[in-house]
Amino acid sequence: MDLKGFDHPGRPTGDGTRSVKVMIAGGFGTGKTTLVRSVSDIKPLTTEETLTQASADVDHLIGVADKTETTVSLDFGKIGINEKLVLYLFGTPGQERFWFLWNGLFKGALGAVVLVDTRRLASSFRAIEEMERQEVPFVIALNVFPDSQEHPIDEIRDALDIAPHIPIVACDARDRASSRDVLVALIRHLKERSAVSVESR
Protein backbone atom coordinates (compact mmCIF):
# COMPACT_ATOMS: atom_id res chain seq x y z
CA MET A 1 0.00 0.00 0.00
CA ASP A 2 1.34 3.43 -0.99
CA LEU A 3 1.56 5.71 2.02
CA LYS A 4 2.54 8.88 0.16
CA GLY A 5 0.48 11.77 1.42
CA PHE A 6 -0.34 10.01 4.67
CA ASP A 7 0.47 12.90 6.96
CA HIS A 8 0.50 10.98 10.27
CA PRO A 9 1.49 7.34 9.71
CA GLY A 10 2.19 6.72 13.40
CA ARG A 11 5.18 6.33 15.64
CA PRO A 12 8.60 5.09 14.50
CA THR A 13 9.38 1.62 15.84
CA GLY A 14 13.16 1.82 15.38
CA ASP A 15 13.40 -0.56 12.43
CA GLY A 16 12.10 1.76 9.71
CA THR A 17 8.43 0.91 10.21
CA ARG A 18 5.66 2.98 11.72
CA SER A 19 3.14 1.76 14.28
CA VAL A 20 -0.47 2.89 14.43
CA LYS A 21 -3.03 2.23 17.15
CA VAL A 22 -6.38 1.13 15.74
CA MET A 23 -9.55 0.44 17.70
CA ILE A 24 -11.90 -2.42 16.85
CA ALA A 25 -15.25 -1.33 18.27
CA GLY A 26 -18.90 -2.24 17.99
CA GLY A 27 -21.80 -3.64 19.91
CA PHE A 28 -22.01 -6.80 21.96
CA GLY A 29 -21.50 -9.91 19.82
CA THR A 30 -20.66 -8.14 16.57
CA GLY A 31 -17.39 -10.06 16.03
CA LYS A 32 -14.65 -7.84 17.43
CA THR A 33 -12.68 -10.62 19.12
CA THR A 34 -13.14 -12.84 16.06
CA LEU A 35 -11.68 -10.17 13.78
CA VAL A 36 -8.66 -9.55 16.00
CA ARG A 37 -8.01 -13.29 16.23
CA SER A 38 -8.36 -13.88 12.50
CA VAL A 39 -6.10 -11.08 11.32
CA SER A 40 -3.39 -10.83 13.99
CA ASP A 41 0.17 -11.83 13.07
CA ILE A 42 0.78 -12.76 16.70
CA LYS A 43 -1.22 -14.85 19.13
CA PRO A 44 -3.72 -12.24 20.30
CA LEU A 45 -4.26 -11.28 23.89
CA THR A 46 -7.90 -11.69 24.82
CA THR A 47 -9.77 -11.12 28.05
CA GLU A 48 -12.80 -13.28 27.38
CA GLU A 49 -14.80 -14.74 30.22
CA THR A 50 -17.64 -17.25 30.19
CA LEU A 51 -21.11 -15.75 30.07
CA THR A 52 -23.26 -16.85 32.96
CA GLN A 53 -27.01 -16.97 33.36
CA ALA A 54 -26.72 -14.14 35.87
CA SER A 55 -25.47 -11.80 33.11
CA ALA A 56 -28.06 -12.81 30.51
CA ASP A 57 -30.47 -9.95 31.25
CA VAL A 58 -27.65 -7.43 31.75
CA ASP A 59 -25.90 -8.24 28.48
CA HIS A 60 -29.05 -8.46 26.33
CA LEU A 61 -28.43 -11.73 24.52
CA ILE A 62 -31.25 -11.26 22.00
CA GLY A 63 -29.84 -12.25 18.61
CA VAL A 64 -26.66 -13.74 20.11
CA ALA A 65 -28.12 -16.49 22.26
CA ASP A 66 -25.38 -18.93 21.19
CA LYS A 67 -22.61 -16.65 22.47
CA THR A 68 -20.77 -18.31 25.38
CA GLU A 69 -17.91 -15.85 26.08
CA THR A 70 -17.51 -12.10 26.22
CA THR A 71 -14.63 -9.59 26.33
CA VAL A 72 -14.38 -7.94 29.73
CA SER A 73 -11.42 -5.63 29.17
CA LEU A 74 -9.81 -5.63 25.72
CA ASP A 75 -8.47 -7.74 22.88
CA PHE A 76 -5.01 -7.00 21.51
CA GLY A 77 -3.39 -8.05 18.25
CA LYS A 78 -0.84 -6.85 15.73
CA ILE A 79 -0.64 -6.95 11.94
CA GLY A 80 1.93 -5.69 9.46
CA ILE A 81 0.08 -4.10 6.52
CA ASN A 82 3.35 -3.82 4.59
CA GLU A 83 7.05 -3.40 5.30
CA LYS A 84 6.46 0.18 6.47
CA LEU A 85 3.27 0.03 8.53
CA VAL A 86 2.27 -2.01 11.59
CA LEU A 87 -1.18 -1.78 13.15
CA TYR A 88 -1.72 -2.46 16.83
CA LEU A 89 -5.30 -3.59 17.25
CA PHE A 90 -7.29 -2.90 20.42
CA GLY A 91 -10.70 -4.54 20.60
CA THR A 92 -13.19 -2.90 22.93
CA PRO A 93 -15.69 -4.68 25.16
CA GLY A 94 -19.15 -4.46 23.63
CA GLN A 95 -21.51 -4.75 26.57
CA GLU A 96 -22.74 -1.60 28.24
CA ARG A 97 -21.45 -2.41 31.71
CA PHE A 98 -17.83 -2.22 30.42
CA TRP A 99 -18.16 0.98 28.40
CA PHE A 100 -16.39 2.96 31.12
CA LEU A 101 -13.14 1.36 29.83
CA TRP A 102 -13.48 2.97 26.42
CA ASN A 103 -12.03 6.38 27.29
CA GLY A 104 -8.67 4.90 28.25
CA LEU A 105 -8.60 2.52 25.30
CA PHE A 106 -9.20 5.26 22.74
CA LYS A 107 -6.30 7.41 23.91
CA GLY A 108 -3.77 7.71 21.09
CA ALA A 109 -5.88 5.84 18.53
CA LEU A 110 -5.44 7.08 14.96
CA GLY A 111 -8.60 5.43 13.68
CA ALA A 112 -11.18 2.74 14.28
CA VAL A 113 -13.25 0.00 12.72
CA VAL A 114 -16.85 -0.20 13.92
CA LEU A 115 -18.18 -3.71 13.41
CA VAL A 116 -21.92 -3.88 12.71
CA ASP A 117 -24.30 -6.83 12.76
CA THR A 118 -27.05 -5.90 10.27
CA ARG A 119 -29.48 -8.12 12.17
CA ARG A 120 -29.02 -5.87 15.23
CA LEU A 121 -28.07 -2.40 13.97
CA ALA A 122 -28.96 -0.72 17.25
CA SER A 123 -26.22 -2.67 19.06
CA SER A 124 -23.57 -0.50 17.37
CA PHE A 125 -25.18 2.93 17.80
CA ARG A 126 -23.21 3.59 20.99
CA ALA A 127 -19.88 2.77 19.34
CA ILE A 128 -20.61 5.15 16.45
CA GLU A 129 -21.61 7.89 18.88
CA GLU A 130 -18.34 7.37 20.76
CA MET A 131 -16.27 7.71 17.56
CA GLU A 132 -17.99 10.98 16.78
CA ARG A 133 -17.69 12.26 20.36
CA GLN A 134 -13.97 11.52 20.53
CA GLU A 135 -13.45 12.62 16.90
CA VAL A 136 -11.83 9.32 15.94
CA PRO A 137 -11.95 8.66 12.16
CA PHE A 138 -13.63 5.33 11.44
CA VAL A 139 -15.01 2.96 8.86
CA ILE A 140 -18.07 0.75 9.20
CA ALA A 141 -17.54 -2.99 8.66
CA LEU A 142 -20.71 -5.02 8.10
CA ASN A 143 -19.91 -8.44 9.55
CA VAL A 144 -21.79 -10.96 7.43
CA PHE A 145 -23.33 -13.69 9.57
CA PRO A 146 -24.82 -16.87 8.02
CA ASP A 147 -28.39 -15.64 8.47
CA SER A 148 -27.72 -11.98 7.62
CA GLN A 149 -29.93 -10.45 4.96
CA GLU A 150 -28.48 -8.23 2.27
CA HIS A 151 -29.41 -4.57 2.46
CA PRO A 152 -28.47 -1.72 0.11
CA ILE A 153 -25.57 0.29 1.48
CA ASP A 154 -27.61 3.49 1.29
CA GLU A 155 -30.24 1.95 3.56
CA ILE A 156 -27.57 0.91 6.07
CA ARG A 157 -26.03 4.38 5.94
CA ASP A 158 -29.41 6.02 6.59
CA ALA A 159 -30.29 3.61 9.40
CA LEU A 160 -26.95 4.26 11.14
CA ASP A 161 -27.05 7.98 10.33
CA ILE A 162 -23.55 7.79 8.82
CA ALA A 163 -22.07 10.69 6.85
CA PRO A 164 -21.49 10.11 3.11
CA HIS A 165 -17.68 10.29 3.40
CA ILE A 166 -17.44 7.40 5.90
CA PRO A 167 -16.68 4.10 4.11
CA ILE A 168 -18.96 1.10 4.64
CA VAL A 169 -17.53 -2.30 3.69
CA ALA A 170 -18.79 -5.85 4.08
CA CYS A 171 -16.58 -8.46 5.71
CA ASP A 172 -16.38 -11.90 7.23
CA ALA A 173 -14.59 -11.38 10.55
CA ARG A 174 -13.60 -15.06 10.58
CA ASP A 175 -11.57 -14.67 7.39
CA ARG A 176 -8.07 -13.19 7.60
CA ALA A 177 -8.05 -11.72 4.08
CA SER A 178 -11.49 -10.16 4.54
CA SER A 179 -10.54 -8.67 7.90
CA ARG A 180 -7.27 -7.34 6.48
CA ASP A 181 -9.23 -5.66 3.67
CA VAL A 182 -11.24 -3.78 6.31
CA LEU A 183 -8.05 -2.49 7.90
CA VAL A 184 -6.69 -1.44 4.51
CA ALA A 185 -9.96 0.43 3.89
CA LEU A 186 -9.43 2.27 7.18
CA ILE A 187 -5.85 3.24 6.27
CA ARG A 188 -7.05 4.51 2.88
CA HIS A 189 -9.75 6.54 4.63
CA LEU A 190 -7.15 8.06 6.98
CA LYS A 191 -4.90 8.84 4.03
CA GLU A 192 -7.73 10.57 2.16
CA ARG A 193 -8.64 12.62 5.25
CA SER A 194 -5.00 13.61 5.64
CA ALA A 195 -4.80 14.70 1.99
CA VAL A 196 -7.96 16.82 2.35
CA SER A 197 -6.55 18.40 5.51
CA VAL A 198 -3.30 19.31 3.73
CA GLU A 199 -5.16 20.80 0.76
CA SER A 200 -7.32 22.95 3.04
CA ARG A 201 -4.35 24.54 4.82
Side-chain angles (χ1 to χ4, degrees), residues 17 51 54 62-63 80 82 89 95-96 100-101 103 134-135 143 169 173:
T17 63
L51 282 168
I62 296 172
N82 58 27
L89 311 176
Q95 56 277 64
E96 187 172 350
F100 69 92
L101 296 169
N103 285 335
Q134 301 212 30
E135 299 182 343
N143 192 10
V169 296

Short mmCIF file of all heavy atoms in Angstrom, two decimals, residues 17 51 54 62-63 80 82 89 95-96 100-101 103 134-135 143 169 173:
data_model
loop_
_atom_site.label_atom_id
_atom_site.label_comp_id
_atom_site.label_asym_id
_atom_site.label_seq_id
_atom_site.Cartn_x
_atom_site.Cartn_y
_atom_site.Cartn_z
N THR A 17 9.89 1.00 10.36
CA THR A 17 8.43 0.91 10.21
C THR A 17 7.75 1.92 11.12
O THR A 17 8.37 2.52 11.99
CB THR A 17 7.93 -0.51 10.57
OG1 THR A 17 8.22 -0.76 11.96
CG2 THR A 17 8.59 -1.56 9.71
N LEU A 51 -19.84 -16.39 29.72
CA LEU A 51 -21.11 -15.75 30.07
C LEU A 51 -21.87 -16.67 31.01
O LEU A 51 -21.94 -17.87 30.82
CB LEU A 51 -21.95 -15.52 28.81
CG LEU A 51 -21.57 -14.32 27.94
CD1 LEU A 51 -22.29 -14.39 26.62
CD2 LEU A 51 -21.92 -13.03 28.66
N ALA A 54 -26.51 -15.37 35.09
CA ALA A 54 -26.72 -14.14 35.87
C ALA A 54 -26.54 -12.89 35.02
O ALA A 54 -27.12 -11.84 35.31
CB ALA A 54 -25.76 -14.10 37.05
N ILE A 62 -30.34 -11.11 23.14
CA ILE A 62 -31.25 -11.26 22.00
C ILE A 62 -30.45 -11.18 20.71
O ILE A 62 -29.71 -10.23 20.46
CB ILE A 62 -32.33 -10.16 22.01
CG1 ILE A 62 -33.21 -10.31 23.25
CG2 ILE A 62 -33.18 -10.23 20.75
CD1 ILE A 62 -34.18 -9.17 23.44
N GLY A 63 -30.57 -12.20 19.88
CA GLY A 63 -29.84 -12.25 18.61
C GLY A 63 -28.48 -12.89 18.70
O GLY A 63 -27.86 -13.20 17.69
N GLY A 80 1.14 -6.51 10.37
CA GLY A 80 1.93 -5.69 9.46
C GLY A 80 1.17 -5.56 8.14
O GLY A 80 0.92 -6.56 7.47
N ASN A 82 2.25 -3.68 5.55
CA ASN A 82 3.35 -3.82 4.59
C ASN A 82 4.65 -3.65 5.34
O ASN A 82 4.65 -3.64 6.58
CB ASN A 82 3.21 -2.84 3.41
CG ASN A 82 3.16 -1.39 3.87
OD1 ASN A 82 3.70 -1.04 4.92
ND2 ASN A 82 2.51 -0.54 3.10
N LEU A 89 -3.85 -3.50 17.20
CA LEU A 89 -5.30 -3.59 17.25
C LEU A 89 -5.79 -3.72 18.69
O LEU A 89 -5.35 -4.62 19.42
CB LEU A 89 -5.80 -4.79 16.43
CG LEU A 89 -5.22 -4.92 15.02
CD1 LEU A 89 -5.72 -6.21 14.38
CD2 LEU A 89 -5.60 -3.70 14.17
N GLN A 95 -20.34 -4.89 25.72
CA GLN A 95 -21.51 -4.75 26.57
C GLN A 95 -21.44 -3.47 27.40
O GLN A 95 -20.39 -3.00 27.80
CB GLN A 95 -21.72 -5.97 27.46
CG GLN A 95 -20.58 -6.37 28.35
CD GLN A 95 -19.54 -7.21 27.65
OE1 GLN A 95 -18.91 -6.71 26.73
NE2 GLN A 95 -19.32 -8.42 28.10
N GLU A 96 -22.62 -2.93 27.64
CA GLU A 96 -22.74 -1.60 28.24
C GLU A 96 -22.04 -1.48 29.58
O GLU A 96 -21.47 -0.42 29.90
CB GLU A 96 -24.23 -1.26 28.39
CG GLU A 96 -24.50 0.15 28.84
CD GLU A 96 -25.97 0.49 28.79
OE1 GLU A 96 -26.74 -0.30 28.22
OE2 GLU A 96 -26.33 1.57 29.32
N PHE A 100 -17.23 1.99 30.41
CA PHE A 100 -16.39 2.96 31.12
C PHE A 100 -14.91 2.78 30.76
O PHE A 100 -14.10 3.69 30.97
CB PHE A 100 -16.58 2.82 32.64
CG PHE A 100 -16.03 1.55 33.23
CD1 PHE A 100 -14.74 1.50 33.71
CD2 PHE A 100 -16.81 0.40 33.27
CE1 PHE A 100 -14.21 0.34 34.25
CE2 PHE A 100 -16.29 -0.78 33.81
CZ PHE A 100 -15.00 -0.82 34.30
N LEU A 101 -14.53 1.61 30.22
CA LEU A 101 -13.14 1.36 29.83
C LEU A 101 -12.76 2.05 28.53
O LEU A 101 -11.58 2.19 28.22
CB LEU A 101 -12.91 -0.16 29.68
CG LEU A 101 -13.07 -1.01 30.93
CD1 LEU A 101 -13.09 -2.49 30.57
CD2 LEU A 101 -11.93 -0.71 31.90
N ASN A 103 -12.80 5.14 27.32
CA ASN A 103 -12.03 6.38 27.29
C ASN A 103 -10.53 6.12 27.31
O ASN A 103 -9.77 6.70 26.53
CB ASN A 103 -12.40 7.29 28.46
CG ASN A 103 -13.75 7.96 28.25
OD1 ASN A 103 -14.18 8.13 27.11
ND2 ASN A 103 -14.40 8.33 29.33
N GLN A 134 -15.42 11.41 20.33
CA GLN A 134 -13.97 11.52 20.53
C GLN A 134 -13.23 11.93 19.25
O GLN A 134 -12.01 12.00 19.23
CB GLN A 134 -13.42 10.18 21.04
CG GLN A 134 -14.05 9.75 22.36
CD GLN A 134 -13.09 8.96 23.22
OE1 GLN A 134 -11.88 9.15 23.19
NE2 GLN A 134 -13.64 8.07 24.02
N GLU A 135 -14.00 12.18 18.18
CA GLU A 135 -13.45 12.62 16.90
C GLU A 135 -12.39 11.65 16.37
O GLU A 135 -11.33 12.06 15.90
CB GLU A 135 -12.88 14.04 17.02
CG GLU A 135 -13.94 15.07 17.40
CD GLU A 135 -13.40 16.49 17.47
OE1 GLU A 135 -12.16 16.66 17.55
OE2 GLU A 135 -14.21 17.42 17.43
N ASN A 143 -20.31 -7.04 9.36
CA ASN A 143 -19.91 -8.44 9.55
C ASN A 143 -21.04 -9.34 9.06
O ASN A 143 -22.15 -9.30 9.61
CB ASN A 143 -19.58 -8.70 11.02
CG ASN A 143 -18.89 -10.03 11.22
OD1 ASN A 143 -18.47 -10.69 10.26
ND2 ASN A 143 -18.75 -10.44 12.47
N VAL A 169 -17.99 -1.11 4.42
CA VAL A 169 -17.53 -2.30 3.69
C VAL A 169 -18.10 -3.54 4.35
O VAL A 169 -18.34 -3.58 5.56
CB VAL A 169 -15.99 -2.39 3.67
CG1 VAL A 169 -15.40 -1.22 2.89
CG2 VAL A 169 -15.41 -2.42 5.08
N ALA A 173 -15.60 -11.55 9.51
CA ALA A 173 -14.59 -11.38 10.55
C ALA A 173 -13.80 -12.65 10.82
O ALA A 173 -12.73 -12.59 11.42
CB ALA A 173 -15.23 -10.87 11.84
#
